[in-house]
Amino acid sequence: MDQARSTISKIFNGEPHSYTRFNLTQNMEGDHSQVEMKLSSDMDEEAGGNGVGDHLNHNSNRKTYVTEKLGRTPKNLCFVAAATFLIFIIGFLIGYLVERKKDVAPSAAASQLPFDKTVDHETGAAPLMDWDDVKKLLAQKLDVANFDSVFSDFVTVVDHRAGSPGDERLGNKVLEKFKTYGMNTWTDEHFVKVQDPPASGFNKLVFKNGKEEHLDGFLSYSATGTVKGAVAYSYYGQEKDLKLLQEKNINLTGKVLLVRAGRISFAEKVANAAKVNASAVLIYPSDDTIGDTTQLFGHVHMGSGDPYTPGFPSFNHTQFPPVQSSGLPTILAQTITTGMAENILKQLGGQMMSGEWGFNKVGDDNDTITLEVNNVLTEKKINNVFGVIKGFVDADRYVVIGAQRDAWGPGFAASTVGTSVLVELARSISDMVKNDGFKPRRSIVFASWSAGEYGSIGATEWLEGYLSSLSMKAFSYINLDGVVTGQNSFKVAASPLMYTLIENTLREVKSQNNDVSLSSQFAKGNWESNVLEPLKMDNAAYPFLTFSGIPSLSFGFTSDSSEYQYFGTMLDNREKLNSVTSNQVSQLAKISAQFAGHIVLRLVHDHLLRFDLTKYNKMIRSMVAQINGKVKTVQRMQPQLLLKDLTVQWLISASGSFSYASGSLATDIQNSNLDDTEMCRIINDRLITVERNFLSPYVSPKENPFRHILLGSGPHTLEALIRHLEALSISSPDANADQFRNQFALVTWTIQACANSLAGDIWSLDHEI
């Protein structure tokens, strides 16, 4: 016992000459190690040791002595017991502290996240809040009074034409609101070329020998110069209107066409006029109630974005050679007032038109007019403003929701309402994430565009600048421009991938009468025929869909039949919009926010994107059937065109491949495990690529920017293929059999390539073609 006490005393009191040495020798003949541990003290040295040097000179007797000492001496047993006791005490203390921390953490988290007791940053699948709870939260956040307040805040900036100080101030207001909501924000700067009216002087008009009219309205991107020609009244300037005049043996070459605004865009009217070799186009308001002196403003670029950097972003540091969009007009275009148009119409001679054209004469060669357009090309700096709510699982996948903020004049319906809906949705969803525990799986990008009035320049330049980044990351775009222009009808234009999502949303969102849904009020019977309409080229969602291949949607409350007559005028103010909505603008804006919010939240809430391939499958089958029938007609009626050896089987087979691939994906979705995050991401990526793969890779974005073969514009589309067959059937001089064969082959392979991509793995492809 005395020896044990002495040993323990030396261990804890730390004698200067005592040490502990471990010697580990690897046994190369087996998997075990021989461990030798030596405990030494002054007693050892007195027994015959001469310090450290003697311990390094091992012999067999010494090893035997050490082993015996290690296993049998009381002092070593006491040391082991003491060490074990210390380790136990330390482990007990660590465990106690860890358990106490775990007990405290949940109560703190519970006070912050009522719907979710987990940590803020997810590494796997974000916990789902029930969809009904999400809908209720959004409804609670959106309030009519808030819209009244935001309207009042934004209308204080009266002049906010693109690139103006007012546009910049309004952009800064949106930016500050995004920051207030706790969003990550940034801006995107572009230097774009736009055409404005002359700073000094006027655009001018003289009819016959009358007085010279000075024109305040203008059409950006018109050709400039002076022309003189006979007037030809051409109704709305649609292709069918001009064709009717030609059927009446009216030669339109060199004529100045007088057309009404509406039905198609200003750019399409001018493009149609150029096709029949007219020299100029005059456009006047089609609504008599707008007043005799109201000026019209717009643009006539047959495309979107900066027409002087087609297919490229207008960044200041990028130098491009002189280049122009193929959509720029080659003839003059100008707006005039209703009073000026009526003065011209009542003096026209020539043939009398009737029916829907009204009782108006077309004009003859004596009804000459001289038009002078002096617009000037200027460069402007514009800024797009962004804010993002980041997702908790797939943060690099995002839906974009945007609205233009610039306008020719007050622009209340054109920009203020949409910008207000954008800001209120940003506030509401941010609050849901911060305070109510909502965790979107994917991100939401809020965008405020500039230069929308010049042809969606801000949005298109952003697409052009970041096209490679957006192609697999931005999976949908929701457009908020013009969401309230009436109250008696509700219209939606969208990618067919989104039709099922739209139908379900119409059933969920309540109308002004809270007892019924939007579907019950506006979509009775066949909802597609009552609600859906084609997506037009002058819609900001159009380049997202047809240029970038991003599934897109645009919607709004409208009047029953007529378009909103105050677009593009200085009368687009709050009073005018209230007059056509029975003072229900704020209520309709709230419902619009709910509709857009439901679409956005559904796309970021669910494990799998709610995209439905059924509509595209039906659309392709229908158009292929039309092409097949028309090919047979040409082969029968025009055998000299050498189309007898042309088979439609390849196109039919490509259509079948797409149908098979879409069915296979539907089966994969049906059998998918929603808890498998990686599998959900793979399926969603297959869905995202569908729209992009409908973009023809065989045409230049400079010459044909809207490359979508089903919804785009140009000779690469299935619609163009059908028209070409119709021209071949009547031996039109514009038809070309060899060109048709080329178009036919490229369209066929584009559909097959889309089917291949949709199928997923390379071994899942249909190799029949």
Side-chain angles (χ1 to χ4, degrees):
M1 285 298 293
D2 292 339
Q3 187 178 2
R5 290 193 191 97
S6 175
T7 301
I8 293 172
S9 176
K10 288 180 180 181
I11 290 172
F12 288 99
N13 292 333
E15 292 289 342
H17 296 293
S18 64
Y19 69 94
T20 303
R21 180 168 65 87
F22 292 88
N23 182 26
L24 293 90
T25 305
Q26 179 69 38
N27 180 4
M28 302 302 294
E29 296 179 356
D31 294 330
H32 303 290
S33 297
Q34 181 181 5
V35 180
E36 179 184 331
M37 181 173 72
K38 178 176 180 182
L39 301 173
S40 180
S41 66
D42 291 341
M43 279 179 59
D44 300 322
E45 295 177 19
E46 291 173 1
N50 293 318
V52 175
D54 286 333
H55 285 295
L56 297 177
N57 296 321
H58 301 294
N59 54 51
S60 60
N61 294 332
R62 182 66 173 166
K63 288 180 180 177
T64 303
Y65 169 77
V66 170
T67 304
E68 291 175 354
K69 295 276 285 183
L70 176 64
R72 296 176 183 177
T73 61
K75 71 174 183 180
N76 289 335
L77 292 174
C78 292
F79 172 77
V80 171
T84 303
F85 179 73
L86 284 173
I87 293 172
F88 172 76
I89 293 297
I90 293 170
F92 176 79
L93 291 173
I94 292 173
Y96 173 77
L97 293 174
V98 170
E99 287 299 319
R100 178 175 175 80
K101 186 175 182 180
K102 287 182 178 179
D103 291 340
V104 173
S107 61
S111 63
Q112 297 174 359
L113 303 177
F115 285 92
D116 188 3
K117 305 301 189 294
T118 57
V119 295
D120 289 339
H121 301 286
E122 301 296 332
T123 56
L128 273 181
M129 180 186 292
D130 186 78
W131 175 242
D132 288 335
D133 291 333
V134 176
K135 293 189 294 183
K136 290 176 183 176
L137 273 176
L138 180 64
Q140 292 169 6
K141 303 294 180 184
L142 295 171
D143 186 73
V144 172
N146 289 337
F147 282 99
D148 289 331
S149 176
V150 177
F151 290 162
S152 300
D153 189 20
F154 286 154
V155 295
T156 57
V157 183
V158 178
D159 179 12
H160 47 106
R161 189 173 293 187
S164 67
D167 177 36
E168 187 173 357
R169 286 198 303 273
L170 194 57
N172 288 334
K173 279 192 174 187
V174 174
L175 185 66
E176 288 304 313
K177 286 184 180 294
F178 286 169
K179 289 180 179 178
T180 301
Y181 306 151
M183 302 167 66
N184 291 344
T185 61
W186 73 99
T187 61
D188 182 51
E189 185 178 83
H190 295 274
F191 291 81
V192 300
K193 290 183 178 179
V194 300
Q195 199 185 62
D196 284 335
S200 58
F202 299 90
N203 293 336
K204 304 172 184 177
L205 171 71
V206 177
F207 179 59
K208 291 187 175 180
N209 296 319
K211 69 173 184 176
E212 182 178 88
E213 300 280 2
H214 290 177
L215 308 171
D216 295 324
F218 80 105
L219 292 171
S220 189
Y221 302 122
S222 164
T224 57
T226 303
V227 298
K228 183 176 182 179
V231 175
Y233 173 60
S234 306
Y235 201 35
Y236 281 97
Q238 301 171 102
E239 286 186 347
K240 66 176 184 178
D241 300 330
L242 304 185
K243 185 177 180 180
L244 178 61
L245 292 175
Q246 290 174 323
E247 289 173 353
K248 292 180 175 293
N249 296 319
I250 297 174
N251 184 8
L252 299 177
T253 301
K255 296 290 182 65
V256 176
L257 305 189
L258 178 63
V259 302
R260 299 160 65 96
R263 298 195 179 178
I264 58 175
S265 68
F266 293 160
E268 290 172 292
K269 296 176 189 292
V270 177
N272 291 341
K275 290 177 185 177
V276 296
N277 299 315
S279 61
V281 180
L282 293 173
I283 304 174
Y284 68 96
S286 58
D287 195 308
D288 296 336
T289 64
I290 202 170
D292 291 343
T293 60
T294 301
Q295 303 283 346
L296 274 180
F297 301 83
H299 77 91
V300 289
H301 174 214
M302 190 71 166
S304 66
D306 183 349
Y308 293 93
T309 58
F312 308 101
S314 297
F315 291 131
N316 195 38
H317 61 271
T318 308
Q319 301 296 318
F320 295 106
V323 63
Q324 294 184 10
S325 165
S326 59
L328 282 174
T330 56
I331 63 175
L332 272 59
Q334 175 63 44
T335 58
I336 61 175
T337 66
T338 302
M340 295 176 188
E342 289 177 348
N343 181 56
I344 295 172
L345 285 170
K346 68 183 181 183
Q347 298 184 55
L348 293 181
Q351 295 187 41
M352 176 69 73
M353 302 296 290
S354 59
E356 64 174 358
W357 285 51
F359 293 96
N360 291 304
K361 292 183 178 180
V362 175
D364 58 28
D365 291 341
N366 296 320
D367 299 318
T368 59
I369 197 167
T370 302
L371 175 64
E372 182 179 336
V373 176
N374 300 309
N375 295 343
V376 293
L377 194 65
T378 60
E379 185 176 83
K380 292 186 177 182
K381 182 184 79 170
I382 63 170
N383 281 290
N384 298 322
V385 175
F386 301 92
V388 63
I389 298 173
K390 292 185 178 179
F392 285 77
V393 178
D394 293 327
D396 61 336
R397 302 291 191 266
Y398 40 86
V399 57
V400 183
I401 180 168
Q404 76 171 56
R405 66 172 185 275
D406 67 295
W408 298 117
F412 190 75
S415 64
T416 302
V417 174
T419 301
S420 300
V421 171
L422 178 76
V423 167
E424 276 300 285
L425 277 174
R427 178 192 62 79
S428 301
I429 299 176
S430 295
D431 195 47
M432 289 168 62
V433 174
K434 287 189 297 183
N435 299 318
D436 300 299
F438 172 60
K439 292 187 175 183
R441 300 179 62 83
R442 304 167 196 92
S443 300
I444 308 171
V445 174
F446 296 83
S448 174
W449 312 115
S450 183
E453 296 282 37
Y454 288 93
S456 304
I457 289 183
T460 304
E461 295 308 309
W462 183 68
L463 288 173
E464 291 175 343
Y466 306 99
L467 186 60
S468 58
S469 300
L470 296 171
S471 62
M472 275 300 292
K473 296 182 178 180
F475 60 85
S476 189
Y477 177 68
I478 313 299
N479 181 40
L480 298 177
D481 296 340
V483 292
V484 179
T485 60
Q487 64 174 336
N488 299 324
S489 182
F490 189 84
K491 295 295 182 181
V492 181
S495 161
L497 284 177
M498 304 180 75
Y499 283 3
T500 300
L501 176 59
I502 293 166
E503 182 181 11
N504 293 335
T505 304
L506 288 170
R507 292 178 181 146
E508 292 178 334
V509 177
K510 298 294 184 182
S511 66
Q512 291 167 273
N513 179 1
N514 286 325
D515 294 333
V516 299
S517 65
L518 289 176
S519 179
S520 298
Q521 183 169 352
F522 300 111
K524 295 177 181 178
N526 187 335
W527 80 272
E528 292 187 17
S529 61
N530 291 329
V531 173
L532 292 179
E533 63 181 8
L535 190 61
K536 297 179 180 178
M537 188 180 294
D538 57 353
N539 191 303
Y542 191 80
F544 278 87
L545 179 61
T546 62
F547 172 75
S548 299
I550 298 173
S552 303
L553 177 150
S554 187
F555 70 96
F557 288 94
T558 66
S559 299
D560 284 326
S561 55
S562 62
E563 300 174 9
Y564 185 61
Q565 64 268 39
Y566 302 110
F567 273 147
T569 73
M570 295 297 170
L571 299 178
D572 181 12
N573 53 42
R574 189 170 184 174
E575 291 71 27
K576 294 297 184 183
L577 190 56
N578 271 327
S579 68
V580 300
T581 60
S582 304
N583 295 313
Q584 297 291 306
V585 176
S586 297
Q587 289 83 352
L588 295 170
K590 176 191 171 184
I591 298 171
S592 298
Q594 285 183 291
F595 182 82
H598 276 232
I599 295 284
V600 169
L601 292 176
R602 197 87 216 198
L603 288 172
V604 300
H605 168 271
D606 294 355
H607 290 79
L608 297 176
L609 296 174
R610 290 183 172 252
F611 288 159
D612 187 356
L613 297 170
T614 305
K615 299 300 180 183
Y616 265 138
N617 193 18
K618 289 181 178 178
M619 181 183 295
I620 292 173
R621 286 179 172 274
S622 173
M623 300 188 83
V624 168
Q626 290 183 58
I627 291 171
N628 186 35
K630 291 184 181 297
V631 165
K632 291 179 178 179
T633 299
V634 173
Q635 290 173 336
R636 184 178 67 255
M637 297 179 61
Q638 305 290 344
Q640 74 278 10
L641 295 177
L642 303 179
L643 290 183
K644 283 190 175 181
D645 61 336
L646 178 68
T647 174
V648 188
Q649 184 57 42
W650 280 25
L651 182 59
I652 294 173
S653 181
S655 173
S657 294
F658 181 85
S659 179
Y660 176 81
S662 61
S664 176
L665 179 56
T667 301
D668 289 345
I669 292 173
Q670 188 79 17
N671 298 329
S672 62
N673 176 11
L674 296 183
D675 292 328
D676 187 339
T677 305
E678 184 60 26
M679 179 57 65
C680 289
R681 186 177 175 91
I682 292 171
I683 290 175
N684 286 333
D685 284 350
R686 289 167 67 184
L687 287 167
I688 292 171
T689 59
V690 171
E691 204 80 74
R692 188 190 67 203
N693 288 327
F694 279 133
L695 303 182
S696 174
Y698 307 110
V699 295
S700 164
K702 173 180 175 292
E703 299 298 327
N704 297 284
F706 307 126
R707 297 176 294 147
H708 201 293
I709 63 170
L710 296 171
L711 304 172
S713 174
H716 56 281
T717 64
L718 267 73
E719 187 63 39
L721 211 60
I722 293 172
R723 290 199 302 267
H724 203 155
L725 283 168
E726 292 172 347
L728 286 168
S729 66
I730 59 173
S731 298
S732 170
D734 297 328
N736 184 299
D738 290 335
Q739 184 182 13
F740 171 80
R741 286 174 177 272
N742 183 63
Q743 291 173 319
F744 182 84
L746 297 182
V747 163
T748 299
W749 185 246
T750 302
I751 295 174
Q752 180 62 40
C754 187
N756 291 347
S757 175
L758 185 60
D761 299 317
I762 192 69
W763 50 85
S764 301
L765 306 186
D766 184 350
H767 299 289
E768 289 186 2
I769 293 187

